[in-house]
């Protein structure tokens, strides 16, 4: 798994997919014939015990030929099984050695059956009664019992439980013959020996084998679960191309908050149960200690993997946030640059228009001061962004990597916080070199490639250059406008028409109102057009909704000035309808009114859209958290219990989960209802404002995946 195993290794049997149809068919045949042999052996043992009772009663045995045929049939089947076991090894079945060991155990049992058969049916009779040395039989069984050990893995222990059940039945079958002796003195001594044998056999079965099997089963369940979890994290894509990491982040947080404590309690209980068995002088101490060590080691390493996962998720979040903010900043700078080029030109502008443009440029300069802080913050952050692309691309030169956790390899130990040199990052395992020049191979999930990221630094440098160019352009445009304004003041003040001056002054006032409204329109679009942040869609939608409400408050403050300027202009137009610039002034009035009406409509549609989107994201998050809790419950039940009582308990738990899950269906249907509401808002935006919703396709996909997860959960429960 995620370590170099200790010397006391524990074999954990897992069902693996066969590499070919040939191997799959072979294993199916092997299992079928092995079951036949097992059944023949069991039936033979039962019939031998019946005939022993018949012989002891002075009667003729009934099953001599039958048992002989069964033994011969078993040997014939076993010969074929041996050949199949060789083929399994040739085809590289992962449990080939265990299969060979099982065949050897079957052969030993058959050899013992043959010996028992010969002994039982060739007894010498005295006066028509078989002569049986019960004392010798008890001693043989006692010696056999004393020499029995304990297997190192669960399948072997389960076989030993089955074998000992048969052995114990044989011991119990001796009871009536021991008490039937006529010699009271010898019967008493024999009874003592038999009582000791019976007690020892019962102790091995109840206190030793069954308790050991149950303990090993519990350990195996946890080891299997931890092995799966380790595989998920080791094989996960932690590079820059993985855009689905927010779902992984939610899964991680859900496990930490809801499942980690209970899982830790399970591991602690396994350790305590192992200590109790050892304190009770369980003869399988070595096996128990080996499983305790394996669980402890795997749990420690699983916690290390959680540390790695937390770090990777944090670095991925920082990487994608930086690049998103950089793209947004770049887009804003491009729009500002285009606006400066197109809007702030002195040609064909009168004095009042020029003053309005200069005021706008002053506002632009203040906005650029705000961008100073934003660009500087991005430049600083770019130095801390990790080069995630190097997790998937082979670097052109040797790179340093830092270990996020400890890890034992065959070549040595990886130490947390230490720096290594990356030699190869192909696949989930990376090859690194330590300071001493020693090569080690470990999962790439254990390492991070430290800053800086050349791509992120280049992006921040480009933004700084772009911003500097715009500031120079704003400054140059203002100088040109101010110079032209002074010229207009000198040339035009003496001979200008008073009515015309007033008209142009009114137009300048309306231009300012329209410009103020235009800024708020752009602010609204900056909130509703970009897609929500994938790492925090719920919070992002709530933040944007509040921003739109704040913009609405600003628009309400502009409205009195707009109304005042419109009234003044309309009054002037009524009094001076023949003024040369009257048509232009009338156009400015209409422009201001239309802009205000459009922004009010935009505000209403945007608020509806963001409210519905926020409601949908909230129901999606609740639905995902709910389903994750049930998925975690099922993950803890992936390995079927060995005994019937535990199996029945698990089935009851699954039935409870299924029943409870059906009552939670409303959480899924709620997302569907909220999706319909969100799509309705988007349709309104498209119809009235020709605006599309960038998140609706993603949200539809999220709802579909949520439904699929719910259906998969129900199917998993049904198949178990």
């Amino acid at each position: 798994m995620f370590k170099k195993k200790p010397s006391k290794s524990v074999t954990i049997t897992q069902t693996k997919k066969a590499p070919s149809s040939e191997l799959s068919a072979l294993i199916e045949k092997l299992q079928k014939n092995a079951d036949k042999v097992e059944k023949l052996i069991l039936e033979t043992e039962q019939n031998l015990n019946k005939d022993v009772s018949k012989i002891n009663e002075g009667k003729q045995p009934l099953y001599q030929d039958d048992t002989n045929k069964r033994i011969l049939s078993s040997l014939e089947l076993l010969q074929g099984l041996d050949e199949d076991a060789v083929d399994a090894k040739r085809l590289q079945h992962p449990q080939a050695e265990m299969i060979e060991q099982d065949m050897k155990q079957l052969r030993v049992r058959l050899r013992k059956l043959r010996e028992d058969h010969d002994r039982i049916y060739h007894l010498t009779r005295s006066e028509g009664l078989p002569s049986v040395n019960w004392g010798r039989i008890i001693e043989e069984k006692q010696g056999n019992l004393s020499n029995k050990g304990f297997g190192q893995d669960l399948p072997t222990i389960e076989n030993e439980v089955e074998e000992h059940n048969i052995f114990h039945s044989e011991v119990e079958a001796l009871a009536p013959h021991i008490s039937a002796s006529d010699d009271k003195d010898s019967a008493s001594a024999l009874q003592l020996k038999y009582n000791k044998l019976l007690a020892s056999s019962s102790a091995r079965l109840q206190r030793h084998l069954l308790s050991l099997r149950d303990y090993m089963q519990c350990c195996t369940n946890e080891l299997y679960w931890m092995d799966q979890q380790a595989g998920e994290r080791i094989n996960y894509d932690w590079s820059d191309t993985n855009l689905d990491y927010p779902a992984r982040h939610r899964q991680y947080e859900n496990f930490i908050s809801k499942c980690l404590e209970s899982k830790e309690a399970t591991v602690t209980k396994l350790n305590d149960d192992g200590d109790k068995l050892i304190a009770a002088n369980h003869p399988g101490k070595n096996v128990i200690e080996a499983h305790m060590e394996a669980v402890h080691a795997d749990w420690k390493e699983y916690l290390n993997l959680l540390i790695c996962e937390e770090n990777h998720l944090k670095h991925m979040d920082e990487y994608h946030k930086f690049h998103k903010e950089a793209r947004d900043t770049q887009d804003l700078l491009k729009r500002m640059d285009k606006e400066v080029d197109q809007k702030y030109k002195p040609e064909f502008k009168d004095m009042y228009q020029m003053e309005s443009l200069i005021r706008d440029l002053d506002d632009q300069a203040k906005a650029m001061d705000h961008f100073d802080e934003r660009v500087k913050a991005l430049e600083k952050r770019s130095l801390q962004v990790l080069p995630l692309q190097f997790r998937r691309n082979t670097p052109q030169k040797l790179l340093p990597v830092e270990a996020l956790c400890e890890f034992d390899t065959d070549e040595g130990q990886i130490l947390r916080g230490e720096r290594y040199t990356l030699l190869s990052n192909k696949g989930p395992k990376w090859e690194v070199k330590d300071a001493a020049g020693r090569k080690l191979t470990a999962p790439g999930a254990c390492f991070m490639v430290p800053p800086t990221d050349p791509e992120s630094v280049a992006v921040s440098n480009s933004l700084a250059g772009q911003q500097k160019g715009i500031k120079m352009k704003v400054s140059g445009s203002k100088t040109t406008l101010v110079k032209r304004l002074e010229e207009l003041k000198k040339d035009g003040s003496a001979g200008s028409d008073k009515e015309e001056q007033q008209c142009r002054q009114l137009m300048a006032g309306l231009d300012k109102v329209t410009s103020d409204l235009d800024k708020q329109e752009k602010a609204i679009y900056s909130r509703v057009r970009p897609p929500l942040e994938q790492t925090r869609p719920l919070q992002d939608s709530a933040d944007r909704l509040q921003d739109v409400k704040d913009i609405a408050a600003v628009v309400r403050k502009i409205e009195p000035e707009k109304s005042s300027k419109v009234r003044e202009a309309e009054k002037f137009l009524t009094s001076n309808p023949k003024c040369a610039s009257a048509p232009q002034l009338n156009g400015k009035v209409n422009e201001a009114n239309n802009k205000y009406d459009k922004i009010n409509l935009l505000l209403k549609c945007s608020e509806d859209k963001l409210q519905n989107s926020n409601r949908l994201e909230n129901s999606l998050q609740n639905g995902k958290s709910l389903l994750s809790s049930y998925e975690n419950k099922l993950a803890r039940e992936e390995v079927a219990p060995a005994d019937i009582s535990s199996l029945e308990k698990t089935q009851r738990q699954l039935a409870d989960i299924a029943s409870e899950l059906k009552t939670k269906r409303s959480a899924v249907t709620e997302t569907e209802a909220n999706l319909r509401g969100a799509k309705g808002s988007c349709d309104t935006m498209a119809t009235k404002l020709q605006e599309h919703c960038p998140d609706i396709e993603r949200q539809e996909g999220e709802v579909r995946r949520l439904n699929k997860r719910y259906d998969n959960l129900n199917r998993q429960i049904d198949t178990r």
Side-chain angles (χ1 to χ4, degrees):
M1 189 183 140
F2 182 61
K3 64 179 180 297
K4 182 181 178 182
K5 290 289 184 182
S7 58
K8 294 180 179 179
S9 63
V10 180
T11 303
I12 305 303
T13 302
Q14 301 175 17
T15 302
K16 298 185 181 288
K17 188 175 180 179
S20 68
S21 58
E22 180 186 359
L23 180 55
S24 178
L26 177 65
I27 295 305
E28 184 178 352
K29 175 187 172 187
L30 230 162
Q31 183 65 55
K32 183 178 179 181
N33 288 338
D35 289 343
K36 286 182 181 178
V37 173
E38 187 74 35
K39 183 179 179 183
L40 286 169
I41 290 175
L42 183 60
E43 290 172 346
T44 302
E45 288 171 337
Q46 291 173 344
N47 289 339
L48 285 176
N49 285 331
K50 291 177 182 177
D51 271 0
V52 167
S53 298
K54 291 286 183 183
I55 293 170
N56 289 331
E57 293 170 2
K59 298 178 181 178
Q60 287 296 320
L62 300 176
Y63 301 103
Q64 182 173 355
D65 292 337
D66 178 78
T67 51
N68 186 54
K69 288 178 182 178
R70 290 179 188 275
I71 292 172
L72 292 175
S73 297
S74 298
L75 288 170
E76 184 178 347
L77 284 170
L78 190 57
Q79 184 176 355
L81 284 170
D82 288 338
E83 295 172 359
D84 292 339
V86 171
D87 288 340
K89 189 172 184 179
R90 175 177 59 80
L91 294 172
Q92 298 181 340
H93 188 274
Q95 297 176 354
E97 291 184 3
M98 185 179 294
I99 292 170
E100 285 186 352
Q101 186 63 33
D102 289 343
M103 298 306 103
K104 289 178 182 178
Q105 290 178 359
L106 286 175
R107 192 168 290 283
V108 169
R109 291 175 65 187
L110 279 171
R111 190 182 302 118
K112 181 180 179 298
L113 271 181
R114 169 56 69 190
E115 292 171 356
D116 288 347
H117 182 278
D118 293 342
R119 177 173 57 81
I120 290 170
Y121 295 115
H122 296 84
L123 292 173
T124 58
R125 297 172 177 272
S126 175
E127 297 179 359
L129 293 175
S131 176
V132 179
N133 188 338
W134 298 110
R136 183 173 64 81
I137 292 175
I138 292 173
E139 289 171 0
E140 285 178 358
K141 289 192 176 294
Q142 186 68 61
N144 187 8
L145 185 61
S146 300
N147 291 328
K148 287 183 180 292
F150 297 93
Q152 297 294 309
D153 57 77
L154 187 59
T156 304
I157 291 294
E158 288 175 338
N159 284 337
E160 289 174 356
V161 169
E162 292 178 10
E163 290 175 2
H164 194 76
N165 277 328
I166 296 170
F167 178 88
H168 192 68
S169 297
E170 293 174 357
V171 171
E172 289 180 327
L174 296 176
H177 309 295
I178 303 303
S179 59
S181 175
D182 295 331
D183 188 341
K184 299 301 181 184
D185 292 335
S186 63
S188 177
L190 199 60
Q191 188 68 48
L192 288 174
K193 286 183 179 182
Y194 174 76
N195 290 344
K196 179 182 177 183
L197 173 63
L198 184 63
S200 300
S201 180
S202 297
R204 175 171 171 81
L205 180 62
Q206 298 296 332
R207 295 204 304 273
H208 300 160
L209 279 174
L210 293 181
S211 62
L212 182 59
R213 182 198 64 184
D214 293 345
Y215 180 71
M216 290 172 69
Q217 179 68 66
C218 293
C219 289
T220 301
N221 289 352
E222 294 308 312
L223 289 168
Y224 177 73
W225 181 85
M226 286 187 277
D227 188 62
Q228 281 192 316
Q229 295 296 311
E232 279 186 20
R233 287 158 180 80
I234 290 171
N235 293 301
Y236 192 75
D237 179 12
W238 302 110
S239 74
D240 58 316
T241 58
N242 183 2
L243 301 180
D244 196 38
Y245 71 94
R248 183 80 196 184
H249 203 167
R250 289 190 293 272
Q251 183 180 343
Y252 167 82
E253 289 179 340
N254 183 67
F255 178 80
I256 294 296
S257 62
K258 298 180 180 179
C259 303
L260 180 60
E261 189 175 344
S262 64
K263 184 60 69 174
E264 188 172 19
T266 300
V267 172
T268 301
K269 185 176 184 302
L270 284 176
N271 187 69
D272 293 343
D273 290 346
D275 285 338
K276 289 176 182 176
L277 288 172
I278 293 171
N281 296 319
H282 195 290
K285 177 182 177 182
N286 292 342
V287 181
I288 295 167
E289 287 179 341
H291 276 73
M292 289 173 67
E293 289 173 12
V295 170
H296 175 74
D298 280 15
W299 177 247
K300 179 182 176 182
E301 289 159 359
Y302 174 66
L303 294 179
N304 275 331
L305 273 177
L306 287 180
I307 293 172
C308 295
E309 182 173 15
E310 181 182 18
N311 277 277
H312 287 308
L313 290 170
K314 174 189 172 188
H315 297 148
M316 293 173 85
D317 192 41
E318 290 172 350
Y319 178 92
H320 289 289
K321 276 186 177 178
F322 168 81
H323 282 281
K324 180 184 183 302
E325 290 180 28
R327 286 193 301 271
D328 291 346
T329 303
Q330 188 178 50
D331 291 343
L332 286 171
L333 288 172
K334 284 181 179 178
R335 287 201 293 272
M336 291 177 73
D337 188 35
K338 184 178 180 181
E339 187 174 324
V340 171
D341 284 339
Q342 295 178 348
K343 184 176 180 181
Y344 301 104
K345 295 183 181 295
E347 292 85 357
F348 311 112
K349 300 289 193 303
D350 59 34
M351 185 170 59
Y352 298 108
Q353 290 172 320
M354 208 72 72
E355 288 174 345
S356 177
L357 290 177
I358 291 171
R359 284 195 298 271
D360 283 350
L361 273 178
D362 288 337
D363 291 340
Q364 289 282 25
K366 292 177 183 177
M368 292 307 297
D369 290 338
H370 166 71
F371 272 91
D372 275 344
E373 298 176 5
R374 187 167 179 173
V375 171
K376 285 177 182 176
L378 285 170
E379 284 183 297
K380 185 177 179 181
R381 284 170 59 190
S382 72
L383 301 176
Q384 301 301 320
V385 173
L386 269 60
L388 298 184
Q389 69 273 17
F390 291 146
R391 300 194 69 86
R392 57 181 172 84
N393 293 333
T394 302
Q396 299 299 315
K397 60 180 182 179
L398 296 179
L399 285 179
V401 294
E402 182 179 320
L404 296 172
C405 66
E406 293 181 356
F407 176 69
D408 291 329
T409 74
D410 293 333
E411 303 93 350
Q413 188 181 39
I414 299 289
L415 298 175
R416 182 179 180 182
E418 288 293 315
R419 289 286 180 103
Y420 299 86
T421 302
L422 178 61
L423 302 178
S424 173
N425 62 347
K426 294 179 180 178
K429 293 289 184 73
W430 287 10
E431 186 178 353
V432 299
K433 181 173 65 175
D434 64 12
R438 181 178 51 175
K439 292 183 179 180
L440 307 102
T441 302
C446 300
F447 302 100
M448 73 167 184
V449 183
T452 56
D453 175 25
E455 293 180 3
S456 299
V457 172
V459 167
S460 66
N461 289 340
S462 174
L463 288 174
Q466 190 178 359
Q467 184 211 20
K468 184 178 179 181
I470 296 174
K471 289 178 74 173
M472 292 175 64
K473 191 176 286 187
V474 168
S475 177
S477 296
K478 183 177 179 181
T479 300
T480 302
L481 290 172
V482 169
K483 183 179 178 181
R484 178 60 180 155
L485 177 63
E486 294 300 324
E487 292 174 356
L488 288 172
K489 284 181 178 179
K490 288 178 183 178
D491 297 340
S493 58
S496 61
D497 186 297
K498 185 177 180 182
E499 285 183 358
E500 188 67 21
Q501 285 186 19
Q502 185 181 358
C503 183
R504 292 191 174 276
Q505 190 172 2
L506 289 170
M507 284 194 289
L510 287 168
D511 280 342
K512 180 181 180 300
V513 169
T514 302
S515 176
D516 290 343
L517 290 171
D518 191 56
K519 290 174 187 175
Q520 301 311 312
E521 182 182 11
K522 291 176 181 176
I524 296 169
Y525 283 132
S526 72
R527 302 307 191 276
V528 297
R529 280 177 173 170
L532 296 172
E533 290 186 30
Q534 290 190 26
T535 55
R536 48 189 294 276
L538 178 60
Q539 185 59 47
D540 192 24
S541 60
D543 292 343
R544 295 189 192 194
L545 180 60
Q546 185 58 50
D547 289 344
V548 167
K549 290 180 179 179
D550 293 341
I551 293 169
V554 174
V555 171
R556 285 195 294 272
K557 291 180 181 179
I558 295 174
E559 194 278 334
E561 183 182 3
K562 189 270 303 182
S563 298
S564 173
K565 296 295 182 184
V566 167
R567 281 195 301 271
E568 289 178 18
E570 289 174 341
K571 183 178 179 181
F572 177 85
L573 289 169
T574 302
S575 304
N576 305 280
K578 296 183 178 181
C579 177
S581 298
Q584 292 173 274
L585 179 60
N586 189 58
K588 297 291 183 182
V589 169
N590 292 334
E591 183 182 4
N593 283 328
N594 291 339
K595 176 67 73 172
Y596 182 78
D597 292 342
K598 179 185 177 183
I599 288 177
N600 273 323
L601 177 61
L602 180 59
L603 280 169
K604 183 180 184 307
C605 291
S606 299
E607 192 168 337
D608 287 345
K609 178 224 175 206
L610 288 170
Q611 278 181 341
N612 284 317
S613 185
N614 179 258
R615 193 176 295 116
L616 174 56
E617 294 294 346
N618 185 54
S619 61
L620 278 169
Q621 183 169 304
N622 291 338
K624 290 173 185 176
S625 298
L626 175 70
L627 296 186
S628 292
S629 66
Y630 286 102
E631 287 165 348
N632 288 328
K633 286 180 182 179
L634 288 182
R636 291 195 291 270
E637 303 292 344
E638 285 194 354
V639 179
D643 58 278
I644 296 298
S645 61
S646 298
L647 183 61
E648 290 175 346
K649 179 182 177 183
T650 300
Q651 289 175 334
R652 288 194 298 273
Q653 290 172 344
L654 288 172
D656 292 341
I657 292 174
S659 176
E660 189 177 337
L661 186 60
K662 287 179 181 177
T663 65
K664 304 296 184 181
R665 173 68 189 173
S666 59
V668 179
T669 55
E670 183 183 351
T671 63
E672 296 169 342
N674 290 336
L675 176 62
R676 288 192 292 271
K679 290 177 76 173
S681 299
C682 288
D683 291 342
T684 301
M685 291 274 290
T687 302
K688 294 184 177 180
L689 297 163
Q690 289 73 53
E691 288 291 319
H692 75 283
C693 296
D695 292 295
I696 199 66
E697 289 185 8
R698 174 188 61 81
Q699 290 168 333
E700 282 183 305
E702 294 271 9
V703 172
R704 283 196 301 271
R705 284 190 288 275
L706 197 70
N707 271 288
K708 188 174 180 180
R709 284 175 65 184
Y710 180 84
D711 293 338
N712 284 341
L713 272 172
N714 281 303
R715 277 196 294 271
Q716 286 181 44
I717 294 171
D718 291 341
T719 55
R720 294 188 189 189

